Amino acid sequence: FAPTAEQIYLDTLRIYNNTPESPYRLAVAGRGSLLSVRDANTAIAIPREFYLAQNYPNPFNPTTNFEFGVPTQSRVTVRIHDITGRAIGVLFDDLVQAGRHHVVWNCDNCSSGLYFVSMSGTGFHLVRKATLLH
């Protein structure tokens, strides 16, 4: 159930019962914001804006976790830079559905110090600091 470019949500609702006409199909459309989705009988809140949470644990040794959220389907890139701004690598680069997501950074071969983690895509750019202590 994803919005069109005009923010109109379109889908088909199927109603099942024990009749020859089953399932009954009903087209649904509407404007608005998707507030949650259901996944295995659990409601998952959809963020209202893009976010990149502070990593945990922080300081870390040698792995840490990042949570990020997107309000709509988006291409997201998460990059790591050292204190001098030199690119260390790309932690994540993919198209994701609206919702919350997690990535893990394993920095076994990195030097202790301060790193910058940036999340970017169309219309957003966020940065967090992460401290590695060996």
Side-chain angles (χ1 to χ4, degrees):
F1 202 60
T4 64
E6 296 81 27
Q7 293 299 306
I8 298 174
Y9 291 84
L10 306 170
D11 206 349
T12 301
L13 176 65
R14 292 179 195 91
I15 302 170
Y16 294 88
N17 59 25
N18 294 327
T19 65
E21 300 83 27
S22 185
Y24 179 77
R25 289 178 172 78
L26 177 66
V28 255
R31 291 189 177 274
S33 300
L34 187 61
L35 299 177
S36 67
V37 293
R38 293 247 175 231
D39 183 20
N41 300 322
T42 303
I44 300 170
I46 302 297
R48 293 184 185 268
E49 58 188 31
F50 295 96
Y51 75 87
L52 174 61
Q54 185 62 54
N55 63 303
Y56 60 92
N58 191 31
F60 68 99
N61 179 18
T63 61
T64 189
N65 302 282
F66 289 91
E67 178 181 304
F68 65 90
V70 296
T72 59
Q73 183 183 50
S74 306
R75 177 142 205 115
V76 174
T77 304
V78 178
R79 292 183 174 88
I80 309 293
H81 293 85
D82 66 14
I83 191 71
T84 67
R86 183 176 57 100
I88 300 298
V90 175
L91 186 59
F92 184 86
D93 186 14
D94 206 354
L95 182 67
V96 295
Q97 296 300 316
R100 298 181 328 192
H101 305 274
H102 294 85
V103 293
V104 176
W105 180 28
N106 185 337
C107 201
D108 260 338
N109 300 321
C110 301
S111 300
S112 291
L114 183 65
Y115 291 86
F116 295 100
V117 180
S118 68
M119 172 183 151
S120 59
T122 304
F124 66 94
H125 183 82
L126 304 165
V127 179
R128 296 285 178 262
K129 294 184 274 187
T131 304
L132 172 63
L133 294 177
H134 281 296

